[in-house]
Each structure stands twice: as structure tokens, then as C-alpha cells.
């Protein structure tokens, strides 16, 4: 965000700077609108996935599948998220962390609590910590499907052909998460 001017952004988008100023007062407003769009997408996907499932195992698999698919389809959003979350002294850090992580933390904490209530997970486990660990693994998969460095990292661990079988990735990550949660 700090390195790009509205002129560069407009040029890369193939539009005039005037069009940007028609809708956004400055670069920060444009940036926050992009973040808001990404949040709406995340919220819609997660709420859709968990709202229809009482089967915790299937819900976890659907979340993993949705994370991978949205990482493929919306890689630019994940790259922006990666940039935002790795920026030092970002003027929006606290606000963005609360907005971005607020969506997933609520969904995942509720999912873990639901699994505890159903007796699928140890009732003494801290649902918020479990949700954090769950989200951290999903976040790494998001970056692994959308950011060049993390793509190369995934290839080192899993082989050059790792991106040729997304269903295997879904199944193996789901298995890992369910085993970690002891479901």
C-alpha cells in the first residue's frame, strides 16, 4: 500500500485516476474498500459453509474446500491479505486485524464450541485457542495457493505436482484437522 500511488494503481487497472477519485477520496479509502470486499467474500463463504451443517466432520471438510477454492479464485485478495498482515507499522493494523480476524474467529470458535457440546471434542479444551490453531493452518493454505513464496514452499514439502490434485489436499488437510481435534 505504501509503495503504490493512485496513478500506478489506475494504470495497472486500466482506468483513469479520475475514475478512482469519483468513488474514493484517497488511496486509503480505496484500500479499505478492497479490504471490505474481501471481508464480505470471507463472511459469505464461511457463513454459507457452516449454516447448513450439523455434521462437524463435513463442516470442517467444507471449510477446507472453500478455503482452497476461494484461494484459487480470489488469489489477489489473499495476496492483499498477506501484504496487510505482514506490514510493519501499518496505520490500519489493529482495525484490520479486528475486522478480518473477527469474521473467522467467531465462526471457528462457534464451530469448536458446537463440537464440544456434541461431545466431539474434549469439553475442557479452550475453544478460542483451538479456533486460533485451526485458522492458522487454514491461513497457511490460503497463502500456499495464492502467494508465490508460499507456493514454492508447498512444492518443496509436497512435490512439484501438488497443485494438480486439490481434492487430495482437501482430504489430507481435513484428515489432519480432524485428527488434531480428535474428531
Amino acid at each position: 500500500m505504501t509503495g503504490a500511488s493512485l496513478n500506478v494503481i489506475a494504470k495497472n487497472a486500466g482506468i483513469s485516476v479520475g475514475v478512482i477519485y469519483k468513488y474514493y477520496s484517497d488511496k486509503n479509502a480505496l484500500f479499505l474498500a478492497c479490504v471490505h470486499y474481501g471481508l464480505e467474500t470471507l463472511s459469505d463463504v464461511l457463513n454459507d459453509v457452516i449454516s447448513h451443517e450439523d455434521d462437524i466432520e463435513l463442516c470442517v471438510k467444507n471449510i477446507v474446500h472453500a478455503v482452497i477454492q476461494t484461494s484459487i479464485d480470489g488469489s489477489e485478495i489473499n495476496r492483499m491479505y498477506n501484504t496487510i498482515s505482514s506490514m510493519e507499522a501499518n496505520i490500519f493494523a489493529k482495525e484490520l486485524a479486528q475486522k478480518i480476524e473477527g469474521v473467522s474467529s467467531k465462526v471457528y470458535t462457534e464451530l469448536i464450541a458446537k463440537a464440544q457440546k456434541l461431545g466431539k471434542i474434549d469439553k475442557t479444551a479452550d475453544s478460542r485457542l483451538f479456533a486460533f490453531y485451526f485458522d492458522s493452518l487454514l491461513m497457511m493454505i490460503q497463502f500456499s495457493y495464492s502467494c508465490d513464496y508460499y507456493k514454492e514452499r508447498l512444492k518443496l514439502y509436497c512435490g512439484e505436482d501438488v497443485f494438480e490434485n486439490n481434492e487430495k489436499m482437501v482430504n489430507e488437510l481435513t484428515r489432519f484437522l480432524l485428527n488434531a481435534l480428535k474428531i
Side-chain angles (χ1 to χ4, degrees):
M1 169 151 147
T2 56
S5 70
L6 279 179
N7 288 332
V8 171
I9 293 169
K11 181 179 178 186
N12 288 339
I15 59 175
S16 73
V17 176
V19 170
I20 293 176
Y21 278 116
K22 179 178 178 182
Y23 296 99
Y24 307 102
S25 58
D26 58 21
K27 186 171 66 169
N28 289 344
L30 172 62
F31 172 73
L32 291 174
C34 293
V35 169
H36 183 70
Y37 172 78
L39 286 174
E40 285 179 0
T41 301
L42 172 65
S43 183
D44 291 347
V45 167
L46 288 178
N47 287 324
D48 184 54
V49 166
I50 66 160
S51 67
H52 300 92
E53 296 300 332
D54 286 332
D55 181 341
I56 300 297
E57 294 90 340
L58 185 57
C59 194
V60 169
K61 184 173 184 170
N62 287 344
I63 288 171
V64 171
H65 188 272
V67 163
I68 290 174
Q69 194 59 52
T70 57
S71 296
I72 294 167
D73 296 343
S75 61
E76 66 285 344
I77 294 171
N78 286 330
R79 284 192 300 273
M80 182 178 71
Y81 173 53
N82 183 36
T83 301
I84 292 166
S85 62
S86 62
M87 295 171 103
E88 293 182 31
N90 183 333
I91 61 170
F92 301 114
K94 185 175 182 174
E95 175 187 357
L96 291 177
Q98 289 173 347
K99 285 183 179 180
I100 294 170
E101 306 306 334
V103 173
S104 55
S105 68
K106 181 178 185 293
V107 169
Y108 299 153
T109 301
E110 288 175 1
L111 176 66
I112 300 297
K114 182 178 182 181
Q116 287 175 310
K117 186 176 180 180
L118 294 172
K120 300 272 187 179
I121 298 176
D122 181 357
K123 292 181 192 275
T124 63
D126 185 322
S127 62
R128 293 172 67 178
L129 282 174
F130 270 42
F132 172 76
Y133 304 143
F134 184 81
D135 181 66
S136 295
L137 288 171
L138 294 176
M139 186 172 62
M140 185 53 61
I141 284 298
Q142 286 177 304
F143 293 161
S144 296
Y145 271 81
S146 53
C147 302
D148 291 339
Y149 174 85
Y150 292 103
K151 283 180 182 180
E152 294 305 318
R153 183 178 178 274
L154 184 59
K155 287 181 198 176
L156 282 171
Y157 278 90
C158 302
E160 289 291 322
D161 63 346
V162 68
F163 296 105
E164 294 174 15
N165 190 349
N166 294 330
E167 201 56 38
K168 180 178 179 184
M169 182 64 75
V170 169
N171 291 333
E172 293 301 319
L173 180 55
T174 300
R175 181 185 318 192
F176 181 84
L177 288 167
L178 293 175
N179 284 329
L181 295 170
K182 296 189 178 184
I183 296 178

